[in-house]
Amino acid sequence: MNILDDLEKIKELDSEDMLGIEENFYNQLLEAKKIAEKVNVGSIESTAFSGVAILGMGGSGFTGDIIRNLTKDDISVPIEVVKSYDLPGFVNSSWLVVPVSYSGNTEETLSAVQQALSRGCNLLCVTSGGELEKIAEDNGSCIVKVPSGYQPRGAAGYLFFSTILVLKFLKIISLPDSDIEEALELIKEKCTQYRREVKTQKNYAKIIAAAIGDSFPVIYGTEGILSSVAFRWKCEINENSKTPCFWAEFPELNHNETVGWERLKGITSRFVLIVLVDKQEQERIKVRIRTTIKLIRDNFAKIIEIPVEGKSKLAKALSTMYTGDIVSVYLALLNEINPTPVKKIEILKAELAKLNEK
Ligand code: PA5
């Protein structure tokens, strides 16, 4: 029997139930909505901010990436995404700083938070606890408290959806209710279609995982929401499937990477190219995608086009991200890997923690 249809084997491999967390993604989004509705934004409600800096690393960092790309066409103030220890010099007391850290203990994020506090910025802290929760309490900052007990990447719905909704309630961004409803409906459908009980033949997520198999995936998106989503696919394949993966975005990749596929065919013939394709994309980008595929087709074992579904940007982003998340879990299981542990990240964090003891 195909391992992806062997429910007993899946249970045995996935001892911390990452697949169950993914299958429950729709409910996670509904809960995130409730969490957002209850956040006390009193202290910052009527402040006119001149910019928003969203901080966060890894699984928590996705929140900033996707919010910036979802809102960049309509927002009247800049959104800056910070993925390191330092805030840019232009972030001053008129900015809202949004640290997102699932554990609340990520050192890069905490360092930038200290800088934000010393510059007099208001904070909107998004976390399940840890040091970040303490900082928020000590400083009387707004806090979006999400449930603990998940891997940060498995809590993307809590982190991302509650953050974007609070920013909407604060009127910093505009997000039509109809987009939220559309996104939720589409995710509800996908959760049903991708469930483990749906056999491989009819389960698109299992089909894509099987098509990747033991080849080396490369993910292409398009600048904007699909670049954040392509990066998310790459990270999920790294962390859940324990597989190396590259990613790049159109149109930039046409100015460098496209040429790079000319050599090392002996190696790249085991690569699979996955292209996230939005039919509503502007014509010039469509031509770029078509032409690029023609130019580099022979250098890959196969090329898979993932059709982007939905009308609104939110529905497109969330549904395409969700497909990648669950594909990465099925890819892990197909290769008999437990998707949950991320030992190397833990080792690195423990090594850095030793510096604090000195
Ligand atoms: O998925 C992971 O475990 C990591 O990418 C973490 O998200 C990252 O190390 C940051 O930790 P946190 O999300 O707790 O801030």
Side-chain angles (χ1 to χ4, degrees):
M1 190 198 299
N2 173 355
I3 198 168
L4 295 182
D5 295 334
D6 184 341
L7 301 189
E8 278 308 305
K9 185 77 185 165
I10 286 179
K11 210 167 156 195
E12 189 189 307
L13 286 167
D14 188 14
S15 49
E16 281 119 312
D17 200 21
M18 183 62 91
L19 182 56
I21 290 167
E22 291 300 345
E23 287 169 331
N24 204 35
F25 188 57
Y26 171 67
N27 291 322
Q28 189 179 126
L29 293 177
L30 293 185
E31 268 184 62
K33 196 161 174 262
K34 284 195 196 134
I35 292 170
E37 282 158 1
K38 286 193 191 132
V39 172
N40 180 0
V41 286
S43 60
I44 52 172
E45 203 167 8
S46 42
T47 315
F49 294 104
S50 56
V52 181
I54 308 182
L55 327 177
M57 307 301 300
S60 297
F62 173 72
T63 296
D65 288 338
I66 193 69
I67 290 180
R68 181 186 50 193
N69 277 322
L70 277 167
T71 58
K72 71 186 167 84
D73 297 337
D74 313 309
I75 195 162
S76 55
V77 294
I79 293 201
E80 180 73 14
V81 175
V82 179
K83 292 193 176 188
S84 193
Y85 293 88
D86 298 314
L87 283 183
F90 52 75
V91 174
N92 58 34
S93 60
S94 67
W95 279 58
L96 175 65
V97 172
V98 186
V100 184
S101 170
Y102 184 71
S103 63
N105 293 324
T106 296
E107 63 171 46
E108 298 93 320
T109 309
L110 293 177
S111 154
V113 165
Q114 290 305 338
Q115 293 178 6
L117 288 171
S118 66
R119 292 182 201 181
C121 305
N122 282 290
L123 297 181
L124 169 65
C125 300
V126 185
T127 187
S128 72
E131 192 57 30
L132 186 56
E133 183 182 19
K134 283 203 204 101
I135 293 173
E137 283 168 359
D138 292 349
N139 290 279
S141 308
C142 293
I143 178 155
V144 181
K145 178 92 193 284
V146 300
S148 56
Y150 289 75
Q151 286 289 320
R153 62 193 180 282
Y158 286 127
L159 297 171
F160 152 72
F161 207 46
S162 57
T163 306
I164 199 166
L165 290 176
V166 173
L167 293 176
K168 170 184 159 72
F169 301 152
L170 286 168
K171 300 196 171 58
I172 292 173
I173 60 162
S174 63
L175 185 62
D177 290 339
S178 55
D179 291 7
I180 297 172
E181 278 156 32
E182 189 210 1
L184 286 171
E185 268 317 296
L186 194 51
I187 292 297
K188 192 176 177 187
E189 252 174 55
K190 300 231 154 283
C191 284
T192 310
Q193 291 163 357
Y194 296 163
R195 288 188 72 76
R196 70 189 77 190
E197 291 81 9
V198 181
K199 294 255 180 342
T200 301
Q201 270 179 333
K202 293 198 168 154
N203 188 324
Y204 185 65
K206 290 185 185 178
I207 291 171
I208 300 300
I212 299 172
D214 62 357
S215 42
F216 189 126
V218 178
I219 319 292
Y220 280 180
T222 303
E223 192 279 326
I225 52 168
L226 292 182
S227 100
S228 306
V229 174
F231 180 61
R232 169 81 181 179
W233 271 64
K234 171 223 140 43
C235 296
E236 290 287 274
I237 289 174
N238 292 153
E239 292 187 58
N240 287 333
S241 330
K242 281 56 168 178
T243 297
C245 184
F246 295 150
W247 78 288
E249 65 177 30
F250 290 100
E252 177 62 21
L253 70 88
N254 284 151
H255 299 272
N256 33 65
E257 177 149 331
T258 311
V259 185
W261 295 113
E262 280 182 23
R263 285 188 63 243
L264 307 183
K265 209 170 166 181
I267 298 172
T268 68
S269 59
R270 290 205 48 202
F271 286 25
V272 52
L273 178 63
I274 297 175
V275 190
L276 311 179
V277 184
D278 181 359
K279 270 196 301 205
Q280 286 157 349
E281 194 55 81
Q282 54 157 302
E283 193 51 33
R284 302 193 80 81
I285 292 286
K286 284 194 200 156
V287 171
R288 283 180 183 278
I289 295 176
R290 274 202 305 273
T291 312
T292 305
I293 289 177
K294 259 191 235 154
L295 286 170
I296 65 179
R297 180 182 299 281
D298 291 346
N299 299 73
F300 288 87
K302 58 182 92 122
I303 297 185
I304 303 169
E305 294 186 32
I306 306 285
V308 172
E309 291 176 56
K311 289 195 196 91
S312 65
K313 280 205 272 184
L314 182 68
K316 287 178 186 186
L318 265 186
S319 63
T320 315
M321 165 208 149
Y322 180 58
T323 300
D325 285 9
I326 202 150
V327 163
S328 72
V329 175
Y330 281 130
L331 182 61
L333 300 172
L334 184 70
N335 291 306
E336 306 206 22
I337 285 165
N338 180 346
T340 300
V342 279
K343 284 198 196 111
K344 292 190 170 69
I345 295 178
E346 281 158 24
I347 293 168
L348 270 159
K349 286 185 178 177
E351 203 54 42
L352 282 155
K354 287 184 196 160
L355 296 177
N356 304 338
E357 291 157 16
K358 284 183 187 160

